[in-house]
């Protein structure tokens, strides 16, 4: 089945630094990838939709200059948290949908736990 | 009102019990319905997906959709301790680009 690899699984960084999270589709091409954020005991909140070769679409309230998304190839999307602050500490998860698939095509990465100190 | 409502629990049952998890939604554009299982600090894993109203069975899991009531359910038969996890309902419209999740229900199955 489709596999999405997400790295790193855990990162601790100092306030003011930037952190890059990678999401790779290992055995399929992903024309669309999605980035979610999840706070403890809460549901996944869609942050942005990333499309290969074009600008990401951000959900309302998500700062595009703070959460930079790049989808430069059909197998890789990156989320960079710029000038991270403690309130950015959260669990970030990506998902991908193989090109051409419809229902049931979402596969999730294993998530990245970001802690900003 | 949230688009998708799901009781966060927690829900605790003894091993072997039948578990019923539910979600309601308000957006009639939602056409595809999914249930995900998420273990602690892991990404969600797809369990079931359905499109039409009715039941879909897969092993010990049964997904039920009632579009007229905007209500979906997941039943787990003969629950096992390994079923202990958070269960999230999710749904999307026809374009399949706007998935929305419920809050997730934390389930514990006690041996």
């Amino acid at each position: 089945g489709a596999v999405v690899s997400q790295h790193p699984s855990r990162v601790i960084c100092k306030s003011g630094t930037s952190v890059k999270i990678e999401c790779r589709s290992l055995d399929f091409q992903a024309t669309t990838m999605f980035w979610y954020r999840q706070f403890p005991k809460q549901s996944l909140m869609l942050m942005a939709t990333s499309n290969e070769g074009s600008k990401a679409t951000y959900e309302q309230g998500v700062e595009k200059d703070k959460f930079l998304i790049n989808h430069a190839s059909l197998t890789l999307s990156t989320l960079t948290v710029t000038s991270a602050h403690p309130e950015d500490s959260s669990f970030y998860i990506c998902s991908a949908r193989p090109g051409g698939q419809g229902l049931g095509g979402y596969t999730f990465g294993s998530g990245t736990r970001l802690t900003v100190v | 009102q949230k688009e998708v409502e799901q009781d966060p629990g927690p829900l605790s049952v003894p091993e072997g019990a039948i578990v019923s998890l539910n979600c309601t939604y308000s957006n009639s554009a939602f056409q595809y319905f999914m249930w995900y299982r998420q273990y602690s600090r892991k990404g969600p894993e797809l369990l079931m997906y359905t499109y039409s109203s009715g039941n879909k069975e897969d092993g010990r899991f049964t997904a039920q959709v009632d579009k007229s009531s905007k209500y979906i359910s997941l039943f787990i038969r003969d629950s096992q301790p390994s079923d202990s996890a958070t269960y999230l309902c999710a749904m999307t419209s026809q374009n399949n680009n706007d998935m929305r999740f419920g809050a997730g229900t934390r389930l514990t199955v006690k041996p």
Side-chain angles (χ1 to χ4, degrees):
Chain A
V3 177
V4 172
S5 175
Q6 185 173 344
H7 292 282
S9 58
R10 176 175 290 188
V11 58
I12 301 173
C13 70
K14 290 185 177 180
S15 186
T17 61
S18 295
V19 174
K20 180 184 283 189
I21 303 169
E22 291 190 350
C23 181
R24 292 181 185 272
S25 55
L26 296 188
D27 49 5
F28 66 97
Q29 292 183 329
T31 54
T32 305
M33 289 187 175
F34 304 86
W35 288 95
Y36 295 85
R37 183 173 181 176
Q38 186 177 34
F39 292 104
K41 298 184 180 181
Q42 293 188 27
S43 188
L44 284 77
M45 291 178 54
L46 180 65
M47 297 176 66
T49 301
S50 134
N51 297 293
E52 186 268 336
S54 62
K55 289 184 178 180
T57 303
Y58 290 81
E59 294 297 300
Q60 191 173 13
V62 177
E63 299 176 60
K64 58 183 69 175
D65 293 331
K66 181 164 188 63
F67 299 100
L68 300 179
I69 291 173
N70 184 281
H71 194 155
S73 78
L74 285 171
T75 59
L76 174 65
S77 176
T78 61
L79 168 68
T80 301
V81 184
T82 62
S83 187
H85 291 284
E87 59 266 29
D88 298 324
S89 298
S90 189
F91 192 55
Y92 293 87
I93 308 174
C94 67
S95 74
R97 190 183 68 174
Q101 274 202 17
L103 174 65
Y106 289 85
T107 301
F108 285 83
S110 55
T112 298
R113 183 162 301 281
L114 170 64
T115 303
V116 185
V117 297
Chain B
Q1 181 187 13
K2 293 181 182 177
E3 280 190 294
V4 183
E5 298 275 2
Q6 182 179 9
D7 185 344
L11 179 63
S12 181
V13 301
E15 184 175 355
I18 295 175
V19 176
S20 173
L21 305 166
N22 311 292
C23 287
T24 59
Y25 62 97
S26 58
N27 189 346
S28 57
F30 289 140
Q31 297 293 321
Y32 301 109
F33 305 91
M34 287 143 278
W35 285 96
Y36 286 86
R37 178 174 60 196
Q38 185 177 23
Y39 293 111
S40 181
R41 302 183 181 184
K42 298 292 184 183
E45 169 194 10
L46 180 66
L47 281 178
M48 301 278 288
Y49 65 86
T50 54
Y51 172 70
S52 57
S53 285
N55 294 351
K56 181 176 181 179
E57 190 174 316
D58 184 359
R60 295 185 296 110
F61 298 91
T62 300
Q64 193 174 77
V65 173
D66 182 348
K67 288 187 177 179
S68 62
S69 301
K70 295 189 179 66
Y71 187 89
I72 67 171
S73 300
L74 177 71
F75 298 97
I76 307 174
R77 290 185 300 280
D78 187 25
S79 56
Q80 303 294 310
S82 57
D83 294 329
S84 299
T86 296
Y87 289 80
L88 299 126
C89 64
M91 47 200 75
T92 181
S93 64
Q94 190 72 30
N95 69 17
N96 205 15
N97 254 353
D98 56 352
M99 184 178 281
R100 293 292 183 263
F101 287 85
T105 300
R106 181 184 293 268
L107 170 68
T108 301
V109 180
K110 296 183 177 179

